[in-house]
Amino acid sequence: MEFIGENPATGDRTRPLLLLLHGFGADEHDLAGIVPWFGDGIDWVSVRAPLTLQQRGFAWVPLGQPPQPDALRAATEALVAWIDTSAAGRKIVPLGFSQGGLMVTQLLRARPSAFEAGVVLSGFVDPRPQPGDAELAEQRPPVLFGWGGADPIIPEPIFAATRDWLHEHTVLTQHRIPMLGHGIDRDMLGAVAEFLSETLSSQ
């Protein structure tokens, strides 16, 4: 996998590591600009999704609801393998936008005790049961779920189902911005910064 940011294998391993997971059609540079909002106390790395799109950019899985199970499994396993190789032992917080938010939920399901928290922005969850769901519901890591009420890409019922699933499996913080479309604005970044500050300071 390609990435930009800190080298998680050689940095200060006592510092939290923010794992940035971009959305469909973007790349590892897409979320780098939001990092200054979160202060100097956290390292970061932004990972490129494995599927190359014909039109432009990259994706974690092909478009479609629900996500294609084989592609989703492969993307999840690739991320977990990358973490095991490059960031084992770090305090990791995955943050994903849109399809990257799907991958945040996948990481939490794959390794329920391995992450300090998660941030899902304009993302969604695969509604089908997975082996790690019961353990995740026992571990209940803190998760911020943020989305826009004017999103033209992801229907509100999918956001509602994702919110309900996160409520059942995590300690959920919600932040819905009524007029926000499929994106991240200053209000949302402020909510993420506050969530990370409160969550990581309590660890």
Side-chain angles (χ1 to χ4, degrees), residues 42-102:
I42 189 168
D43 293 338
W44 67 280
V45 62
S46 186
V47 183
R48 179 191 297 176
L51 301 182
T52 301
L53 302 177
Q54 290 186 349
Q55 57 274 42
R56 65 177 181 86
F58 301 86
W60 299 98
V61 294
L63 288 178
Q65 285 290 341
Q68 293 183 12
D70 291 343
L72 187 59
R73 186 180 308 109
T76 303
E77 291 175 352
L79 267 179
V80 169
W82 183 87
I83 290 169
D84 288 345
T85 300
S86 301
R90 296 291 300 263
K91 295 180 178 180
I92 303 172
V93 179
L95 180 157
F97 173 72
S98 192
Q99 209 179 74
L102 165 67

Side-chain angles (χ1 to χ4, degrees), residues 76-184:
T76 303
E77 291 175 352
L79 267 179
V80 169
W82 183 87
I83 290 169
D84 288 345
T85 300
S86 301
R90 296 291 300 263
K91 295 180 178 180
I92 303 172
V93 179
L95 180 157
F97 173 72
S98 192
Q99 209 179 74
L102 165 67
M103 297 313 301
V104 172
T105 65
Q106 285 297 116
L107 287 176
L108 295 176
R109 299 167 101 167
R111 294 286 180 86
S113 62
F115 301 98
E116 299 295 302
V119 178
V120 178
L121 301 179
S122 299
F124 52 95
V125 68
D126 179 1
R128 296 164 295 201
Q130 294 187 21
D133 288 354
E135 184 181 350
L136 179 61
E138 293 179 359
Q139 297 288 338
R140 296 183 68 83
V143 171
L144 172 64
F145 178 39
W147 75 100
D151 194 314
I153 304 297
I154 299 179
E156 185 67 27
I158 291 181
F159 284 142
T162 300
R163 178 199 61 212
D164 293 346
W165 187 92
L166 288 169
H167 179 72
E168 293 173 359
H169 293 84
T170 71
V171 177
L172 176 61
T173 299
Q174 304 176 52
H175 192 71
R176 180 180 183 272
I177 302 176
M179 299 306 295
L180 179 65
H182 196 66
I184 304 172

